[in-house]
Amino acid sequence: MKKYDYVIVGSGLFAGTFAYLATQKDKKCLVIEKRNEIGGNLYCEDMEGIHVHKYGAHIFHTSNKKVWDFVNSLVEFNRYTNSPVANYKGEIYNLPFNMNTFNKMWGCETPAEAKKIIEEQKKVIKGYPQNLEEQAISLVGTDIYKKLIKGYTEKQWGRECKDLPSFIIKRLPVRYIYDNNYFDDKYQGIPIGGYNVLINALFEGCDIETGVDFNKNREKYMGLSEKVLYTGTLDSFYDYCYGNLEYRSLKFETEMLDEENYQGVAVVNYTDRETPYTRIIEHKHFEYGKQEKTVITREYPAEWEEGMEPYYPVNDEKNQMLFNRYKMLADREEKILFGGRLAEYKYYDMDKVIASAFELVERELN
Ligand code: FAD
Ligand code: UDP
Protein backbone atom coordinates (compact mmCIF):
# COMPACT_ATOMS: atom_id res chain seq x y z
CA MET A 1 0.00 0.00 0.00
CA LYS A 2 1.41 3.41 -1.00
CA LYS A 3 0.94 6.41 1.27
CA TYR A 4 -1.04 8.39 -1.33
CA ASP A 5 -3.50 7.58 -4.11
CA TYR A 6 -2.24 10.55 -6.13
CA VAL A 7 0.83 12.73 -6.17
CA ILE A 8 -0.32 15.91 -7.92
CA VAL A 9 2.38 18.01 -9.55
CA GLY A 10 1.46 21.70 -9.62
CA SER A 11 -1.18 23.59 -7.65
CA GLY A 12 -3.05 25.55 -10.33
CA LEU A 13 -6.70 25.26 -11.25
CA PHE A 14 -6.36 21.94 -13.06
CA ALA A 15 -4.57 20.34 -10.12
CA GLY A 16 -7.01 21.96 -7.68
CA THR A 17 -10.13 20.76 -9.48
CA PHE A 18 -8.78 17.23 -9.65
CA ALA A 19 -7.58 17.31 -6.03
CA TYR A 20 -10.95 18.56 -4.77
CA LEU A 21 -12.97 15.92 -6.59
CA ALA A 22 -10.51 13.13 -5.70
CA THR A 23 -10.60 14.13 -2.02
CA GLN A 24 -14.40 14.01 -2.15
CA LYS A 25 -14.02 10.40 -3.24
CA ASP A 26 -11.79 9.67 -0.24
CA LYS A 27 -8.57 9.63 -2.26
CA LYS A 28 -5.47 10.82 -0.44
CA CYS A 29 -3.48 13.42 -2.40
CA LEU A 30 -0.03 14.95 -2.03
CA VAL A 31 0.46 18.23 -3.91
CA ILE A 32 3.97 19.24 -5.04
CA GLU A 33 4.43 22.85 -6.12
CA LYS A 34 7.71 24.37 -7.27
CA ARG A 35 6.71 27.94 -6.39
CA ASN A 36 6.60 29.03 -2.76
CA GLU A 37 2.83 29.34 -2.74
CA ILE A 38 -0.11 27.38 -4.13
CA GLY A 39 -2.65 28.54 -6.71
CA GLY A 40 -0.69 28.58 -9.95
CA ASN A 41 -1.44 31.69 -12.01
CA LEU A 42 -4.44 32.58 -9.84
CA TYR A 43 -2.43 33.34 -6.72
CA CYS A 44 -2.96 36.82 -5.25
CA GLU A 45 -0.73 38.71 -2.84
CA ASP A 46 -2.25 41.06 -0.26
CA MET A 47 -0.87 44.62 -0.43
CA GLU A 48 -2.62 47.14 1.87
CA GLY A 49 -5.84 45.13 1.61
CA ILE A 50 -5.69 44.97 -2.21
CA HIS A 51 -5.56 41.52 -3.82
CA VAL A 52 -2.68 41.82 -6.28
CA HIS A 53 -2.89 39.27 -9.12
CA LYS A 54 0.76 38.25 -8.94
CA TYR A 55 0.87 36.18 -12.13
CA GLY A 56 -1.34 38.36 -14.33
CA ALA A 57 -4.87 39.72 -14.09
CA HIS A 58 -7.52 37.00 -13.96
CA ILE A 59 -11.20 37.50 -14.70
CA PHE A 60 -13.37 34.42 -14.44
CA HIS A 61 -15.83 34.05 -17.33
CA THR A 62 -17.69 31.08 -18.71
CA SER A 63 -20.82 29.90 -20.45
CA ASN A 64 -20.45 26.43 -18.96
CA LYS A 65 -23.10 26.14 -16.23
CA LYS A 66 -21.48 23.09 -14.67
CA VAL A 67 -18.17 24.96 -14.29
CA TRP A 68 -19.92 28.09 -12.97
CA ASP A 69 -21.91 26.08 -10.41
CA PHE A 70 -18.73 24.29 -9.34
CA VAL A 71 -16.74 27.45 -8.57
CA ASN A 72 -19.78 29.10 -6.96
CA SER A 73 -20.14 26.14 -4.63
CA LEU A 74 -16.70 27.09 -3.26
CA VAL A 75 -16.74 30.90 -3.28
CA GLU A 76 -19.17 33.70 -4.09
CA PHE A 77 -18.40 35.90 -7.11
CA ASN A 78 -18.87 39.67 -7.45
CA ARG A 79 -20.46 41.38 -10.48
CA TYR A 80 -17.20 42.58 -12.06
CA THR A 81 -17.46 42.92 -15.84
CA ASN A 82 -14.22 43.37 -17.70
CA SER A 83 -14.24 46.53 -19.86
CA PRO A 84 -10.63 47.33 -20.66
CA VAL A 85 -9.57 50.48 -22.43
CA ALA A 86 -6.95 50.78 -25.19
CA ASN A 87 -4.46 53.63 -25.15
CA TYR A 88 -2.91 54.26 -28.56
CA LYS A 89 -0.42 57.13 -28.24
CA GLY A 90 -2.80 58.96 -25.90
CA GLU A 91 -5.97 58.20 -27.89
CA ILE A 92 -8.42 56.22 -25.76
CA TYR A 93 -10.67 53.52 -27.27
CA ASN A 94 -13.13 51.10 -25.70
CA LEU A 95 -12.57 47.39 -26.03
CA PRO A 96 -13.59 44.88 -27.26
CA PHE A 97 -14.24 46.19 -30.77
CA ASN A 98 -17.78 47.58 -30.61
CA MET A 99 -19.84 50.61 -31.59
CA ASN A 100 -18.05 52.78 -28.98
CA THR A 101 -14.72 51.89 -30.62
CA PHE A 102 -16.05 52.50 -34.14
CA ASN A 103 -17.61 55.81 -33.14
CA LYS A 104 -14.32 57.05 -31.64
CA MET A 105 -12.26 55.77 -34.58
CA TRP A 106 -14.45 57.05 -37.44
CA GLY A 107 -17.16 59.24 -35.94
CA CYS A 108 -19.83 56.90 -37.29
CA GLU A 109 -23.06 56.60 -35.32
CA THR A 110 -24.90 53.56 -36.64
CA PRO A 111 -24.02 49.88 -37.12
CA ALA A 112 -24.71 50.22 -40.86
CA GLU A 113 -22.13 53.02 -41.17
CA ALA A 114 -19.53 51.02 -39.21
CA LYS A 115 -20.13 47.89 -41.27
CA LYS A 116 -19.75 49.86 -44.50
CA ILE A 117 -16.33 51.17 -43.45
CA ILE A 118 -15.11 47.73 -42.34
CA GLU A 119 -16.43 46.06 -45.52
CA GLU A 120 -14.53 48.60 -47.59
CA GLN A 121 -11.27 48.23 -45.62
CA LYS A 122 -11.30 44.44 -45.55
CA LYS A 123 -11.30 44.24 -49.35
CA VAL A 124 -7.49 44.13 -49.21
CA ILE A 125 -7.81 40.53 -47.96
CA LYS A 126 -8.61 38.06 -50.73
CA GLY A 127 -9.84 34.58 -49.85
CA TYR A 128 -9.91 32.82 -46.48
CA PRO A 129 -7.67 34.51 -43.83
CA GLN A 130 -4.42 32.56 -43.47
CA ASN A 131 -2.90 34.22 -40.41
CA LEU A 132 -3.61 36.65 -37.56
CA GLU A 133 -3.05 39.76 -39.70
CA GLU A 134 -5.49 38.65 -42.40
CA GLN A 135 -7.99 37.46 -39.81
CA ALA A 136 -7.84 40.77 -37.92
CA ILE A 137 -8.30 42.91 -41.04
CA SER A 138 -11.20 40.69 -42.16
CA LEU A 139 -12.90 41.24 -38.81
CA VAL A 140 -12.36 44.97 -38.15
CA GLY A 141 -10.57 46.56 -41.13
CA THR A 142 -7.17 48.18 -41.51
CA ASP A 143 -7.52 51.24 -39.21
CA ILE A 144 -8.32 49.22 -36.09
CA TYR A 145 -5.74 46.63 -37.07
CA LYS A 146 -3.02 49.29 -37.26
CA LYS A 147 -3.95 51.20 -34.08
CA LEU A 148 -5.30 48.56 -31.73
CA ILE A 149 -4.01 45.16 -32.85
CA LYS A 150 -0.70 45.12 -34.73
CA GLY A 151 1.55 46.79 -32.11
CA TYR A 152 -0.04 45.04 -29.13
CA THR A 153 0.05 41.61 -30.75
CA GLU A 154 3.64 41.89 -32.00
CA LYS A 155 4.80 42.96 -28.53
CA GLN A 156 2.79 40.25 -26.82
CA TRP A 157 3.96 37.39 -29.04
CA GLY A 158 7.37 38.70 -30.21
CA ARG A 159 6.41 37.63 -33.71
CA GLU A 160 4.91 39.31 -36.79
CA CYS A 161 1.13 39.10 -37.06
CA LYS A 162 1.65 37.34 -40.38
CA ASP A 163 3.43 34.51 -38.53
CA LEU A 164 0.78 33.97 -35.86
CA PRO A 165 -2.26 31.66 -35.94
CA SER A 166 -5.58 33.41 -36.58
CA PHE A 167 -7.40 31.80 -33.64
CA ILE A 168 -5.64 34.15 -31.19
CA ILE A 169 -7.58 37.18 -32.43
CA LYS A 170 -10.86 35.28 -32.63
CA ARG A 171 -10.82 35.25 -28.82
CA LEU A 172 -12.01 38.88 -28.93
CA PRO A 173 -15.65 39.68 -29.69
CA VAL A 174 -16.56 42.13 -32.50
CA ARG A 175 -19.95 43.73 -31.84
CA TYR A 176 -22.15 46.14 -33.70
CA ILE A 177 -23.80 47.33 -30.48
CA TYR A 178 -22.65 49.79 -27.82
CA ASP A 179 -21.38 47.22 -25.32
CA ASN A 180 -17.91 47.29 -23.69
CA ASN A 181 -18.12 43.89 -21.99
CA TYR A 182 -14.86 42.15 -23.04
CA PHE A 183 -16.40 38.68 -22.92
CA ASP A 184 -19.42 37.13 -24.62
CA ASP A 185 -19.87 34.56 -21.85
CA LYS A 186 -23.02 34.13 -19.83
CA TYR A 187 -21.31 34.30 -16.41
CA GLN A 188 -18.45 36.51 -15.20
CA GLY A 189 -16.92 37.82 -11.98
CA ILE A 190 -14.11 37.83 -9.44
CA PRO A 191 -14.21 35.70 -6.28
CA ILE A 192 -15.24 37.78 -3.27
CA GLY A 193 -12.23 37.78 -0.95
CA GLY A 194 -9.91 37.05 -3.89
CA TYR A 195 -8.78 33.94 -5.78
CA ASN A 196 -6.93 32.51 -2.76
CA VAL A 197 -10.30 31.70 -1.17
CA LEU A 198 -11.08 29.47 -4.16
CA ILE A 199 -7.63 27.92 -4.17
CA ASN A 200 -7.67 27.12 -0.46
CA ALA A 201 -11.08 25.47 -0.79
CA LEU A 202 -9.87 23.34 -3.72
CA PHE A 203 -6.84 21.94 -1.86
CA GLU A 204 -8.49 21.43 1.53
CA GLY A 205 -7.64 17.99 2.89
CA CYS A 206 -4.52 17.53 0.72
CA ASP A 207 -0.95 17.34 1.95
CA ILE A 208 1.06 20.10 0.29
CA GLU A 209 4.78 20.66 -0.28
CA THR A 210 5.86 23.97 -1.85
CA GLY A 211 9.28 24.94 -3.20
CA VAL A 212 9.77 21.47 -4.74
CA ASP A 213 10.43 20.80 -8.43
CA PHE A 214 9.05 17.36 -9.21
CA ASN A 215 11.38 16.92 -12.18
CA LYS A 216 14.39 17.17 -9.89
CA ASN A 217 12.99 14.67 -7.38
CA ARG A 218 11.12 12.19 -9.54
CA GLU A 219 12.18 8.92 -7.93
CA LYS A 220 11.22 10.07 -4.46
CA TYR A 221 7.72 11.25 -5.39
CA MET A 222 6.91 8.54 -7.94
CA GLY A 223 7.38 6.01 -5.15
CA LEU A 224 4.80 7.65 -2.88
CA SER A 225 1.61 7.01 -4.83
CA GLU A 226 -0.23 4.68 -7.14
CA LYS A 227 -0.58 7.41 -9.74
CA VAL A 228 0.79 10.86 -10.56
CA LEU A 229 -1.06 13.81 -12.08
CA TYR A 230 1.41 16.15 -13.77
CA THR A 231 0.36 19.72 -14.72
CA GLY A 232 3.77 21.22 -15.65
CA THR A 233 5.24 21.52 -19.15
CA LEU A 234 5.56 18.31 -21.13
CA ASP A 235 8.97 19.10 -22.65
CA SER A 236 10.50 19.58 -19.17
CA PHE A 237 8.93 16.31 -18.00
CA TYR A 238 10.82 14.53 -20.78
CA ASP A 239 14.04 16.49 -20.12
CA TYR A 240 13.64 18.35 -23.43
CA CYS A 241 14.65 15.16 -25.26
CA TYR A 242 13.22 16.41 -28.58
CA GLY A 243 14.12 20.05 -27.89
CA ASN A 244 12.34 23.01 -26.25
CA LEU A 245 8.74 23.97 -26.89
CA GLU A 246 8.42 27.75 -27.20
CA TYR A 247 6.48 29.80 -24.65
CA ARG A 248 5.88 33.46 -24.08
CA SER A 249 6.76 34.70 -20.66
CA LEU A 250 6.01 37.94 -18.82
CA LYS A 251 7.78 40.27 -16.45
CA PHE A 252 5.61 42.10 -13.95
CA GLU A 253 6.61 45.47 -12.48
CA THR A 254 4.37 46.22 -9.49
CA GLU A 255 4.18 49.57 -7.74
CA MET A 256 2.18 50.91 -4.81
CA LEU A 257 1.05 54.50 -5.42
CA ASP A 258 0.08 57.09 -2.89
CA GLU A 259 -3.15 57.97 -4.67
CA GLU A 260 -6.62 56.52 -4.65
CA ASN A 261 -7.37 55.98 -8.31
CA TYR A 262 -4.60 55.86 -10.92
CA GLN A 263 -6.33 54.99 -14.20
CA GLY A 264 -10.05 54.66 -13.44
CA VAL A 265 -10.35 51.12 -14.77
CA ALA A 266 -8.73 47.74 -13.98
CA VAL A 267 -7.03 47.21 -17.36
CA VAL A 268 -5.48 49.64 -19.86
CA ASN A 269 -3.87 48.11 -22.96
CA TYR A 270 -1.03 50.08 -24.56
CA THR A 271 -1.49 49.16 -28.19
CA ASP A 272 1.38 51.04 -29.85
CA ARG A 273 4.61 49.18 -30.66
CA GLU A 274 6.94 51.61 -28.84
CA THR A 275 5.60 51.40 -25.24
CA PRO A 276 7.49 48.36 -23.93
CA TYR A 277 4.65 47.01 -21.78
CA THR A 278 1.35 45.67 -23.11
CA ARG A 279 -0.92 46.64 -20.26
CA ILE A 280 -1.23 48.31 -16.86
CA ILE A 281 -3.43 46.60 -14.29
CA GLU A 282 -4.90 48.55 -11.36
CA HIS A 283 -5.87 45.68 -9.10
CA LYS A 284 -8.30 47.37 -6.69
CA HIS A 285 -10.87 47.93 -9.46
CA PHE A 286 -11.51 44.18 -9.76
CA GLU A 287 -13.13 44.32 -6.34
CA TYR A 288 -14.34 47.94 -6.23
CA GLY A 289 -11.63 48.73 -3.64
CA LYS A 290 -11.93 51.93 -1.60
CA GLN A 291 -8.40 51.89 -0.10
CA GLU A 292 -6.48 55.18 0.15
CA LYS A 293 -3.59 53.78 -1.90
CA THR A 294 -3.51 51.83 -5.11
CA VAL A 295 -1.33 49.10 -6.65
CA ILE A 296 -0.54 48.97 -10.36
CA THR A 297 1.36 46.38 -12.41
CA ARG A 298 3.01 46.93 -15.78
CA GLU A 299 3.12 43.75 -17.85
CA TYR A 300 6.15 43.27 -20.13
CA PRO A 301 6.11 40.34 -22.56
CA ALA A 302 9.30 38.31 -23.01
CA GLU A 303 10.48 35.19 -24.82
CA TRP A 304 10.64 32.27 -22.41
CA GLU A 305 14.08 31.08 -21.32
CA GLU A 306 15.02 28.45 -18.76
CA GLY A 307 14.23 29.73 -15.27
CA MET A 308 11.31 31.94 -16.39
CA GLU A 309 7.60 31.14 -16.07
CA PRO A 310 6.09 29.65 -19.27
CA TYR A 311 2.82 31.62 -19.41
CA TYR A 312 1.59 31.23 -22.98
CA PRO A 313 2.04 28.30 -25.38
CA VAL A 314 3.07 29.46 -28.87
CA ASN A 315 0.63 27.35 -30.87
CA ASP A 316 2.17 27.74 -34.31
CA GLU A 317 2.71 24.81 -36.64
CA LYS A 318 6.34 24.17 -35.69
CA ASN A 319 5.60 24.00 -31.96
CA GLN A 320 2.42 22.02 -32.43
CA MET A 321 4.34 19.34 -34.33
CA LEU A 322 6.97 19.16 -31.60
CA PHE A 323 4.27 18.98 -28.94
CA ASN A 324 2.62 16.08 -30.77
CA ARG A 325 5.88 14.11 -30.50
CA TYR A 326 5.96 14.66 -26.72
CA LYS A 327 2.28 13.79 -26.54
CA MET A 328 2.99 10.41 -28.09
CA LEU A 329 5.36 9.68 -25.22
CA ALA A 330 2.81 10.89 -22.67
CA ASP A 331 0.05 8.72 -24.14
CA ARG A 332 2.16 5.64 -23.43
CA GLU A 333 2.51 6.36 -19.71
CA GLU A 334 0.39 4.13 -17.50
CA LYS A 335 1.05 5.60 -14.10
CA ILE A 336 1.09 9.25 -15.06
CA LEU A 337 -1.85 11.49 -15.99
CA PHE A 338 -1.30 14.85 -17.68
CA GLY A 339 -3.49 17.95 -17.81
CA GLY A 340 -3.77 21.75 -17.76
CA ARG A 341 -2.60 24.65 -19.87
CA LEU A 342 1.07 23.65 -19.72
CA ALA A 343 0.88 19.86 -20.11
CA GLU A 344 -1.76 20.13 -22.86
CA TYR A 345 0.07 23.11 -24.49
CA LYS A 346 -3.26 24.87 -25.03
CA TYR A 347 -4.23 28.54 -24.70
CA TYR A 348 -6.92 27.62 -22.17
CA ASP A 349 -8.89 30.08 -20.07
CA MET A 350 -9.71 29.09 -16.50
CA ASP A 351 -13.12 27.64 -17.28
CA LYS A 352 -11.65 25.44 -20.02
CA VAL A 353 -9.06 24.17 -17.56
CA ILE A 354 -11.77 23.20 -15.09
CA ALA A 355 -13.82 21.53 -17.86
CA SER A 356 -10.74 19.59 -18.96
CA ALA A 357 -10.14 18.46 -15.35
CA PHE A 358 -13.79 17.34 -15.14
CA GLU A 359 -13.16 15.11 -18.18
CA LEU A 360 -10.12 13.56 -16.54
CA VAL A 361 -12.07 12.98 -13.33
CA GLU A 362 -14.81 11.30 -15.36
CA ARG A 363 -12.28 8.89 -16.91
CA GLU A 364 -10.18 8.36 -13.81
CA LEU A 365 -12.41 8.49 -10.76
CA ASN A 366 -15.83 7.29 -11.90
P1 FAD B 1 -1.03 26.84 -13.89
O1 FAD B 1 -1.89 27.84 -13.19
O2 FAD B 1 0.10 27.33 -14.72
O3 FAD B 1 -0.48 25.83 -12.77
C1 FAD B 1 0.60 24.97 -12.99
C2 FAD B 1 1.37 24.89 -11.69
O4 FAD B 1 2.32 23.83 -11.78
C3 FAD B 1 2.17 26.15 -11.41
O5 FAD B 1 1.90 26.61 -10.11
C4 FAD B 1 3.62 25.71 -11.56
O6 FAD B 1 4.50 26.40 -10.72
C5 FAD B 1 3.53 24.24 -11.18
N1 FAD B 1 4.59 23.41 -11.75
C6 FAD B 1 4.97 23.35 -13.05
N2 FAD B 1 5.99 22.47 -13.21
C7 FAD B 1 6.24 21.96 -11.98
C8 FAD B 1 7.18 21.01 -11.49
N3 FAD B 1 8.06 20.43 -12.31
N4 FAD B 1 7.19 20.70 -10.16
C9 FAD B 1 6.29 21.31 -9.33
N5 FAD B 1 5.38 22.22 -9.73
C10 FAD B 1 5.35 22.54 -11.05
N6 FAD B 1 -7.87 32.81 -17.79
C11 FAD B 1 -9.14 33.30 -17.65
O7 FAD B 1 -10.10 32.54 -17.65
N7 FAD B 1 -9.34 34.65 -17.46
C12 FAD B 1 -8.32 35.55 -17.43
O8 FAD B 1 -8.55 36.75 -17.27
C13 FAD B 1 -6.99 35.05 -17.59
N8 FAD B 1 -5.95 35.90 -17.56
C14 FAD B 1 -4.69 35.40 -17.71
C15 FAD B 1 -3.63 36.31 -17.67
C16 FAD B 1 -2.32 35.84 -17.80
C17 FAD B 1 -1.18 36.82 -17.77
C18 FAD B 1 -2.08 34.46 -17.99
C19 FAD B 1 -0.68 33.93 -18.14
C20 FAD B 1 -3.13 33.56 -18.03
C21 FAD B 1 -4.45 34.02 -17.89
N9 FAD B 1 -5.53 33.15 -17.90
C22 FAD B 1 -6.81 33.65 -17.77
C23 FAD B 1 -5.35 31.69 -18.07
C24 FAD B 1 -5.24 30.98 -16.73
O9 FAD B 1 -4.10 31.44 -16.02
C25 FAD B 1 -5.08 29.48 -16.98
O10 FAD B 1 -6.15 28.99 -17.74
C26 FAD B 1 -5.03 28.65 -15.69
O11 FAD B 1 -4.41 29.31 -14.63
C27 FAD B 1 -4.27 27.39 -15.97
O12 FAD B 1 -4.32 26.53 -14.85
P2 FAD B 1 -3.34 25.30 -14.82
O13 FAD B 1 -3.62 24.58 -13.54
O14 FAD B 1 -3.44 24.52 -16.07
O15 FAD B 1 -1.86 25.89 -14.85
N1 UDP C 1 -5.33 41.92 -28.73
C1 UDP C 1 -4.99 43.06 -29.42
N2 UDP C 1 -5.21 44.27 -28.84
C2 UDP C 1 -5.75 44.40 -27.61
C3 UDP C 1 -6.10 43.22 -26.90
C4 UDP C 1 -5.86 42.00 -27.48
O1 UDP C 1 -4.50 42.98 -30.53
O2 UDP C 1 -5.91 45.54 -27.13
C5 UDP C 1 -5.06 40.62 -29.37
C6 UDP C 1 -3.65 40.10 -29.08
O3 UDP C 1 -3.21 39.39 -30.21
C7 UDP C 1 -3.88 39.15 -27.93
C8 UDP C 1 -5.21 38.54 -28.33
O4 UDP C 1 -5.95 39.62 -28.91
O5 UDP C 1 -2.84 38.20 -27.83
C9 UDP C 1 -6.00 37.90 -27.21
O6 UDP C 1 -6.25 38.87 -26.23
P1 UDP C 1 -6.65 38.49 -24.75
O7 UDP C 1 -7.02 39.73 -24.03
O8 UDP C 1 -7.65 37.39 -24.82
O9 UDP C 1 -5.25 37.93 -24.20
P2 UDP C 1 -4.80 37.40 -22.76
O10 UDP C 1 -5.66 38.07 -21.74
O11 UDP C 1 -4.94 35.91 -22.81
O12 UDP C 1 -3.37 37.82 -22.69
Side-chain angles (χ1 to χ4, degrees), residues 179-211:
D179 177 0
N180 299 329
N181 180 353
Y182 199 59
F183 302 113
D184 274 334
D185 281 323
K186 206 162 163 186
Y187 312 107
Q188 178 172 181
I190 301 281
I192 295 175
Y195 281 95
N196 296 1
V197 178
L198 173 64
I199 289 300
N200 292 337
L202 288 171
F203 289 105
E204 204 182 311
C206 297
D207 287 347
I208 297 172
E209 291 182 26
T210 54

Side-chain angles (χ1 to χ4, degrees), residues 40-313:
N41 291 339
L42 272 60
Y43 174 75
C44 291
E45 206 163 66
D46 194 303
M47 287 174 79
E48 300 260 336
I50 299 168
H51 299 126
V52 176
H53 297 214
K54 191 174 166 189
Y55 299 100
H58 279 73
I59 301 106
F60 200 97
H61 58 96
T62 189
S63 293
N64 183 327
K65 176 112 176 31
K66 197 175 156 204
V67 167
W68 186 240
D69 288 345
F70 176 69
V71 291
N72 276 274
S73 73
L74 301 168
V75 61
E76 200 182 338
F77 280 72
N78 71 12
R79 60 158 188 87
Y80 179 79
T81 302
N82 200 32
S83 306
V85 159
N87 183 326
Y88 176 77
K89 303 187 177 183
E91 294 171 28
I92 298 293
Y93 295 93
N94 286 115
L95 293 171
F97 311 120
N98 75 89
M99 283 306 297
N100 290 306
T101 329
F102 307 147
N103 170 266
K104 182 83 185 260
M105 187 71 67
W106 301 310
C108 60
E109 290 170 21
T110 66
E113 287 173 84
K115 272 185 189 153
K116 200 169 158 217
I117 295 170
I118 291 174
E119 285 302 320
E120 198 49 45
Q121 293 193 355
K122 73 187 235 194
K123 281 184 184 156
V124 293
I125 304 300
K126 315 270 179 240
Y128 193 76
Q130 298 298 321
N131 53 51
L132 195 152
E133 175 171 294
E134 293 184 6
Q135 182 67 65
I137 295 172
S138 303
L139 286 171
V140 289
T142 45
D143 288 344
I144 291 182
Y145 172 67
K146 281 182 198 145
K147 286 191 169 179
L148 304 183
I149 298 176
K150 188 173 166 40
Y152 184 97
T153 299
E154 295 189 350
K155 280 193 286 193
Q156 167 75 356
W157 295 97
R159 287 156 179 80
E160 303 263 316
C161 289
K162 286 193 183 84
D163 298 329
L164 286 165
S166 49
F167 83 86
I168 292 176
I169 200 70
K170 286 200 213 154
R171 288 169 57 88
L172 305 192
V174 178
R175 292 196 196 108
Y176 290 92
I177 51 174
Y178 289 92
D179 177 0
N180 299 329
N181 180 353
Y182 199 59
F183 302 113
D184 274 334
D185 281 323
K186 206 162 163 186
Y187 312 107
Q188 178 172 181
I190 301 281
I192 295 175
Y195 281 95
N196 296 1
V197 178
L198 173 64
I199 289 300
N200 292 337
L202 288 171
F203 289 105
E204 204 182 311
C206 297
D207 287 347
I208 297 172
E209 291 182 26
T210 54
V212 182
D213 185 338
F214 173 80
N215 291 331
K216 295 190 177 131
N217 301 275
R218 275 185 211 141
E219 268 88 83
K220 174 180 167 192
Y221 290 104
M222 293 283 280
L224 294 182
S225 64
E226 299 300 332
K227 280 198 160 175
V228 172
L229 166 62
Y230 179 86
T231 71
T233 56
L234 212 49
D235 53 349
S236 70
F237 183 85
Y238 288 110
D239 295 324
Y240 307 101
C241 64
Y242 298 140
N244 274 26
L245 285 165
E246 288 177 306
Y247 300 91
R248 287 299 281 171
S249 192
L250 298 168
K251 286 181 190 148
F252 297 106
E253 194 183 87
T254 295
E255 227 185 309
M256 164 104 60
L257 303 177
D258 219 353
E259 62 181 300
E260 201 198 317
N261 185 2
Y262 173 72
Q263 60 184 17
V265 66
V267 184
V268 178
N269 290 356
Y270 287 79
T271 57
D272 65 297
R273 188 70 188 83
E274 294 73 32
T275 306
Y277 42 88
T278 46
R279 45 191 174 190
I280 298 184
I281 308 300
E282 187 171 10
H283 302 267
K284 71 191 310 182
H285 296 308
F286 289 123
E287 297 177 67
Y288 311 103
K290 298 278 182 288
Q291 298 84 351
E292 280 175 15
K293 296 186 179 182
T294 195
V295 179
I296 60 163
T297 301
R298 292 185 186 82
E299 199 171 303
Y300 296 83
E303 195 64 22
W304 177 85
E305 288 166 26
E306 184 113 39
M308 294 169 84
E309 294 289 347
Y311 287 112
Y312 294 90

